[in-house]
Amino acid sequence: DIQMTQSPSSLSASLGDRVTITCRAGQNISNFLNWYQQIPGKAPELLIYAASSLQSGVPSRFRGSGSGTDFTLTISSLQPEDFATYYCQQSYIMRFTFGPGTKVDIK
Amino acid sequence: QLQLQESGPGLVKPSETLSLICTVSGGSISKSSYFWGWLRQPPGKGLEWIGNIYYSGSTYYNSSLKSRLTISVDTSKNQFSLKLNSVTAADTAVYYCARIIIEAAGGNWFDPWGQGTLVTVSS
């Protein structure tokens, strides 16, 4: 299986801050990388697919980048509804694996 | 708008079989562009992919669960199901079903997800 890591595991930020979350794959996965947001008590929701494509309805302050083994999710200006846990997921092979998550909370 | 809903017992005894159904509404489960998947999340922990099924019945399973796992599809009812046998407390989790979009150029992704159902394994 392809191992996925994320950093940091958690971060504290203020409204309006720029936030960057990193995801690293254990091998080259091209652009087969997706990002999800999970608000406590809710199901995850797709934010970014194929490394950099914004899912319909997701605000443009979310941006995904990267390819190969290193990927980044950037929130350009943190809003109240963005405090959540973010997961990356690889689909390079049909044995999907997720990163351990990055929790974003209020400073 | 496509919706998925998990259903099944919320409490299962150790060594017994966990059975869940996912009902798909607002679209057909038989479309060729999609897989249908199960995932889980133990309390306070991260997400784990369990397995996928295509409308034809083809399956992919998480190798760590494969020996205990069966995923099946009923296209006439627009449902797919999960059976996990010989459960232990380690199988306690919120179980989600989701559509998996198939895209040759960019891989596969889960969207949308069901709301999830908590299954507790306890005597």
Side-chain angles (χ1 to χ4, degrees), chain B residues 8-63:
Chain B
L11 181 64
V12 181
K13 290 182 168 56
S15 80
E16 296 191 344
T17 297
L18 183 161
S19 296
L20 295 173
I21 292 172
C22 182
T23 300
V24 179
S25 59
S28 173
I29 203 169
S30 299
K31 288 197 73 171
S32 60
S33 308
Y34 309 126
F35 282 101
W36 303 91
W38 288 100
L39 308 98
R40 69 181 182 178
Q41 185 172 36
K45 296 189 177 180
L47 297 163
E48 180 182 32
W49 167 71
I50 296 172
N52 304 340
I53 192 163
Y54 197 54
Y55 75 94
S56 62
S58 299
T59 54
Y60 293 85
Y61 291 163
N62 186 320
S63 55

Side-chain angles (χ1 to χ4, degrees), chain B residues 108-122:
Chain B
N108 310 277
W109 48 90
F110 298 94
D111 181 67
W113 299 55
Q115 67 183 26
T117 186
L118 175 63
V119 179
T120 301
V121 179
S122 175

